[in-house]
Amino acid sequence: MRFLLTDEQSVFARTVRSLLGSAQVPATVRAWADGDPGPGRALWARLAGTGLFALAAPEAYEGVGLLPLELSLGFVELGRAGVPGPVVESAAVSVLLAELADEALAKRFLPGLAQGEASATLTLPGGSPYALDADAATYCFTVSAAGELRLAAGPGEVLRSTDPARRLSLSPAGGGELLAAGPAVARAAEVAGRWARLLTAAQCLGVGEALLARTVEYAKQRTQFGTPIGSFQAVKHRLADTLLDLEFARPLVWAAALSPGPGEVAAAKLAAGEASYRAAMTALQLHGAVGYTEELDLSLWLRKARPLRDAWGTPSACRAEVLRSLTPPRR
């Protein structure tokens, strides 16, 4: 299997990274956490100019086709920059509508999502009952265990998570506009759920890389006994272990993007989520008490690591999926 990126893919990833590098994302994250989605929506519009959101929609509806590898590359950069908002959920909704193959629904929602003019959040059966950023998203979709796809009339009570920029609302049971129902909805929801898990894994990878990079820089600057702590053997080993965790997770994410089966995607999410969380623990330990302070931008990534590790598939759920994929069916 080929894991080297093409020139086009590398240029796309660099373009997204360059845009985010000049976008003052930390200020955007803080505004989002305070309930002001304006800067986030402006950033969303700029990202749409790269074609990022079009990678989850068919060409017939203003997209460029469903391209999970290219989309994963973009989502690594979103995680590295700490971009707030229901980016994973918006892409998953686009995939769900594309898989559903209902032309009326596709025409109604997909062009806006593909062009970044609209955003969406989503809850699926068997997953979290909480919708991410339903108060800021243009649309709130929910799929019930009975196979009903509904458009909620509005968000429920907004809750706070470990990450203040992840605003959660309890998805309403029933109610709202019924868009579709039946086995086709359940099948489309299953595919959309795998894409959401894959893209969250890509986000985790980016968050872990950002945490490691910031920790390495801090280890070069912080001194003890007149010596940078980065020169201490124990610190070197801890940083090296963190790097290895991330580098072992990376090919699993690319493999899952190329062959997005349930087991492959679960393995990628498990590895990337755990690597990101361990990177957060390393960053917190080596930064010491200063790592807890909200004024330090590091906290924006520290607070994302655990929620993203558990979003769209907790470690235990992913382990169970990997085991199912490796267990031969009974005759």
Side-chain angles (χ1 to χ4, degrees):
M1 184 176 289
R2 178 184 173 87
F3 290 111
L4 294 177
L5 301 179
T6 65
D7 290 341
E8 281 189 345
Q9 291 166 342
S10 297
V11 168
F12 171 68
R14 287 198 299 270
T15 299
V16 176
R17 184 182 300 189
S18 176
L19 184 154
L20 292 171
S22 62
Q24 298 181 332
V25 177
T28 300
V29 176
R30 289 188 170 93
W32 192 278
D34 290 338
D36 177 12
R41 287 172 177 160
L43 177 58
W44 196 289
R46 292 183 63 190
L47 285 167
T50 69
L52 178 64
F53 303 119
L55 295 169
E59 293 182 25
Y61 305 103
E62 306 298 331
V64 296
L66 278 68
L67 301 174
L69 179 55
E70 286 76 4
L71 197 58
S72 296
L73 289 170
F75 272 69
V76 170
E77 300 307 325
L78 297 185
R80 189 197 309 278
V83 173
V87 286
V88 165
E89 290 71 17
S90 291
V93 166
S94 292
V95 172
L96 188 152
L97 294 172
E99 290 288 325
L100 196 55
D102 183 311
E103 187 173 358
L105 290 180
K107 284 184 176 179
R108 178 178 172 185
F109 297 110
L110 277 177
L113 292 170
Q115 296 302 308
E117 298 166 355
S119 60
T121 190
L122 173 69
T123 59
L124 297 178
S128 170
Y130 296 99
L132 176 66
D133 295 316
D135 58 326
T138 312
Y139 308 115
C140 182
F141 293 88
T142 182
V143 176
S144 70
E148 294 182 341
L149 172 63
R150 291 183 177 271
L151 182 65
E157 181 184 357
V158 176
L159 308 174
R160 292 287 185 142
S161 73
T162 306
D163 176 6
R166 291 179 64 83
R167 301 163 62 84
L168 303 175
S169 301
L170 186 62
S171 183
E177 180 185 355
L178 179 63
L179 301 176
V185 172
R187 289 192 296 270
E190 182 180 354
V191 176
R194 285 206 301 274
W195 276 65
R197 182 172 286 183
L198 169 65
L199 297 179
T200 305
Q203 268 192 311
C204 286
L205 188 59
V207 168
E209 290 177 348
L211 285 165
L212 177 59
R214 288 174 176 269
T215 306
V216 168
E217 285 303 310
Y218 184 73
K220 294 177 181 178
Q221 298 168 9
R222 180 185 172 190
T223 61
Q224 284 185 353
F225 313 111
T227 304
I229 65 170
S231 65
F232 299 157
Q233 200 72 4
V235 173
K236 289 180 179 179
H237 287 171
R238 187 69 186 264
L239 293 172
D241 288 342
T242 302
L243 176 61
L244 285 174
D245 287 340
L246 293 167
E247 289 305 314
F248 275 112
R250 189 186 315 280
L252 291 177
V253 174
W254 300 159
L258 290 168
S259 179
E264 289 83 353
V265 172
K269 177 58 168 46
L270 176 61
E274 294 284 37
S276 177
Y277 183 64
R278 286 193 290 269
M281 294 301 97
T282 296
L284 188 56
Q285 181 183 19
L286 297 185
H287 277 79
V290 72
Y292 286 99
T293 61
E294 292 188 7
E295 292 78 11
L296 192 68
D297 285 349
L298 178 79
S299 66
L300 304 180
W301 285 268
L302 283 175
R303 294 185 176 194
K304 289 184 183 302
R306 182 162 185 170
L308 284 177
R309 184 196 68 172
D310 295 341
W312 293 104
T314 62
S316 59
C318 289
R319 287 190 185 95
E321 187 62 64
V322 171
L323 287 174
R324 276 193 294 270
S325 70
L326 297 175
T327 303
R330 294 181 179 180
R331 295 183 179 180

